[in-house]
Amino acid sequence: MKKIILSIVFILPVMLFSQTNDVKKKVLMVVSSYGKDMGAARPGYEFDEFSQAYLIFKNNNVSIDVASPKGGKVEADKYNKDKPYNKILLEDKYALNLLEHTKATADINAADYDAIYIVGGKGAMFDLPYDPSLQDIVLNLYHRDNTVISSVCHGPAAFVNVKNGDEYIINDVELTSFCNVEEELFGKKWVKEFPFSLETKLESRGAIFKQTDFMLSKVVVSGKFVTGQNPFSTTRSAEAVVSSLGLTPVKRDLYNDERSAYLMQDLLDKTKTIAWAEAELAKNKDNYDMPLIAAYGYYKILASTENNEELLIGVELVELTSPHFFNENLQLLLAKTYISLDRNEKARSILNDLIAENLLKEQAEKLLKSIS
C-alpha cells in the first residue's frame, strides 16, 4: 500500500504538469460590427485579414473566439473568394459559424484570453475606438502578465482611447498601422468620413509610429503590443503573436501575394536586384501574383511624380512583369512616365506597339505626335 501511495505522490505532479502544458493558448479575434452590404453602404472588416490570421492561429493550435461590439453576424467588405486563404476559410464551417455568431464584447470575460487580435478594415475606424467593453478587455490584458495585445491595418483604432489612469496605454509604445500615405492612395471612398486620421491619432496619444513603404509588410513588436501596418502584414503579425505566446510558428508555404510583397520589399531595400527578380519570375512565375506587382508599380509611379528615383522604381516594377502580364493602360502610363523622364525612345517603342495592336490607339497616337 505504501508503494502505491508513493507512486501516486510521484505521478500526480507529473500528470498535473503535463495537463498544464496541454492547455491551449486562447486568442480573441475582434472585428467591426459596422459593415453593411459588403461595404457598399457602410465599411466593415477585411475578410482577407481575418482569414489569414485565423488560419495562422488555427494551424498553431491556438484556441479562437470571435467578438464584435454588437455581437451576432458581421459583414466584411467585398473580397476575392478565390484567394487561397479565403477559399480555405469559406470551407471551414466552424470559422464561418464564429462569424455568423460573434460574441458581443460586453459578454467577454477578458481573463479567459491570452491574446487579443483586432482585425482591420475601414469599419474599425467607426465603432472600435468607442466601444467601452472593448477598451475594458484591452486594459485587462494590458495589466496581466504574459498576454499579447495585437492588431493589423486599421485595427489599432481600438487602442486610441484606452487609458491606464491618466495615461494612454500606447504612450511610448512603438506601433504601426495603415498610414497616412496609404490612406491618400487607397482610402478614397470612406477616408473623408473617418473620425480621425489613424497614424496622426496614434502619434497624438504618444505612440512611436513606424512604417515601411505603402502596402508592404511591416510588423512592430513593442512590449506586449504586436501591430501590422496593412493587409500584407497580416500573416507575419499573426505569427508574431504566436511567438509572443511562447509558441514556435509552424512552417508553411507562402501565399503568392505575400511572396510578391516580400519580393518588392527586397527590391526597394536593395537586398535583391532587378536582374535577380527577372530570373526569379522567369523561373517561378506561378509562385507570384504578377498583376499585384504591376499594380504596385503603377501606384509607385502615381505617388512619386516629383521624385525621379521613385518613378524609376515604379517603372522597373511594371516592366518586370511585362513578359508575364500585359495591360494596355499600364503600358500607356509607362510611355507617359518615360516622356516625363526625357526617355522618348522608350516611350516611342511602347506607343508604336500599342498602335500596332490597336490598343488605346487614339491616345497613343496623340502622345507619339507630341514627342515627334
Side-chain angles (χ1 to χ4, degrees):
M1 179 64 73
K2 287 183 179 180
K3 288 182 179 180
I4 294 173
I5 293 171
L6 284 172
S7 297
I8 293 172
V9 169
F10 283 115
I11 291 170
L12 190 59
V14 174
M15 290 175 61
L16 291 174
F17 180 77
S18 176
Q19 288 173 355
T20 301
N21 280 352
D22 287 341
V23 174
K24 279 187 176 183
K25 297 292 186 179
K26 194 168 186 178
V27 62
L28 180 68
M29 296 185 71
V30 177
V31 295
S32 171
S33 293
Y34 195 70
K36 185 177 180 181
D37 298 330
M38 295 196 78
R42 289 199 305 262
Y45 70 96
E46 282 289 335
F47 196 84
D48 289 10
E49 294 172 12
F50 178 86
S51 61
Q52 291 180 69
Y54 179 93
L55 292 172
I56 293 289
F57 297 140
K58 177 183 176 180
N59 293 337
N60 282 279
N61 202 34
V62 176
S63 180
I64 306 161
D65 281 340
V66 182
S68 64
K70 292 182 178 179
K73 184 178 179 179
V74 286
E75 283 204 46
D77 285 350
K78 189 175 180 180
Y79 61 93
N80 185 347
K81 295 181 180 180
D82 291 327
K83 290 288 187 181
Y85 35 80
N86 292 339
K87 288 177 74 172
I88 294 169
L89 196 90
L90 290 170
E91 294 172 357
D92 187 329
K93 292 182 181 179
Y94 181 80
L96 294 180
N97 185 63
L98 290 178
L99 289 171
E100 286 282 331
H101 305 92
T102 66
K103 298 175 180 288
T105 51
D107 296 332
I108 292 294
N109 179 5
D112 291 340
Y113 300 94
D114 303 289
I116 189 169
Y117 187 90
I118 300 171
V119 176
K122 296 175 180 63
M125 295 290 291
F126 293 93
D127 59 353
L128 300 191
Y130 311 107
D131 179 5
S133 296
L134 180 55
Q135 292 177 29
D136 289 343
I137 296 167
V138 172
L139 195 59
N140 179 284
L141 271 75
Y142 178 80
H143 283 302
R144 287 164 46 216
D145 293 334
N146 304 314
T147 58
V148 183
I149 300 171
S150 59
S151 61
V152 69
C153 200
H154 289 91
F159 305 150
V160 300
N161 292 322
V162 184
K163 282 186 170 184
N164 179 36
D166 294 329
E167 187 174 275
Y168 292 102
I169 63 168
I170 58 174
N171 185 51
D172 288 333
V173 176
E174 293 186 351
L175 294 177
T176 190
S177 75
F178 209 66
C179 65
N180 289 344
V181 171
E182 289 167 326
E183 297 288 16
E184 290 170 11
L185 287 172
F186 307 105
K188 295 178 176 62
K189 183 171 183 180
W190 297 108
V191 69
K192 291 181 180 179
E193 297 183 28
F194 282 177
F196 50 80
S197 160
L198 183 51
E199 175 187 337
T200 304
K201 179 67 79 172
L202 290 170
E203 289 181 324
S204 76
R205 300 312 201 202
I208 303 165
F209 196 83
K210 302 289 184 177
Q211 67 186 84
T212 188
D213 215 324
F214 62 85
M215 285 301 184
L216 294 180
S217 179
K218 176 72 173 179
V219 176
V220 176
V221 179
S222 181
K224 61 173 57 196
F225 286 85
V226 175
T227 49
Q229 181 174 325
N230 49 43
F232 296 103
S233 310
T234 304
T235 51
R236 284 183 170 175
S237 67
E239 287 177 331
V241 172
V242 172
S243 296
S244 296
L245 288 172
L247 307 172
T248 300
V250 296
K251 291 183 179 180
R252 62 183 180 87
D253 291 329
L254 299 181
Y255 302 117
N256 283 7
D257 50 9
E258 65 174 323
R259 187 182 287 108
S260 301
Y262 301 159
L263 178 144
M264 291 185 286
Q265 185 77 70
D266 287 340
L267 292 175
L268 267 61
D269 291 343
K270 298 183 179 179
T271 60
K272 297 285 177 65
T273 65
I274 286 290
W276 171 88
E278 288 172 344
E280 171 66 12
L281 295 187
K283 183 180 178 182
N284 300 302
K285 63 181 181 180
D286 292 339
N287 291 333
Y288 291 91
D289 187 330
M290 300 296 180
L292 175 64
I293 298 172
Y296 192 89
Y298 167 81
Y299 279 104
K300 195 71 175 170
I301 290 170
L302 292 186
S304 311
T305 51
E306 296 181 3
N307 185 322
N308 284 359
E309 185 178 346
E310 294 289 297
L311 270 177
L312 286 171
I313 292 171
V315 167
E316 286 178 335
L317 289 172
V318 175
E319 287 192 330
L320 183 63
T321 63
S322 293
H324 316 286
F325 171 76
F326 181 86
N327 179 283
E328 59 267 32
N329 292 298
L330 276 175
Q331 293 302 308
L332 188 68
L333 177 65
L334 271 183
K336 290 178 179 178
T337 306
Y338 277 129
I339 292 170
S340 73
L341 294 168
D342 293 324
R343 296 188 178 187
N344 290 347
E345 285 306 313
K346 282 273 195 180
R348 284 193 187 94
S349 177
I350 294 171
L351 294 170
N352 282 323
D353 286 345
L354 287 173
I355 293 166
E357 296 293 331
N358 199 27
L359 298 169
L360 303 176
K361 187 175 180 181
E362 186 177 335
Q363 296 176 62
E365 288 177 335
K366 185 177 180 181
L367 269 179
L368 190 59
K369 187 177 180 179
S370 73
I371 58 175
S372 298

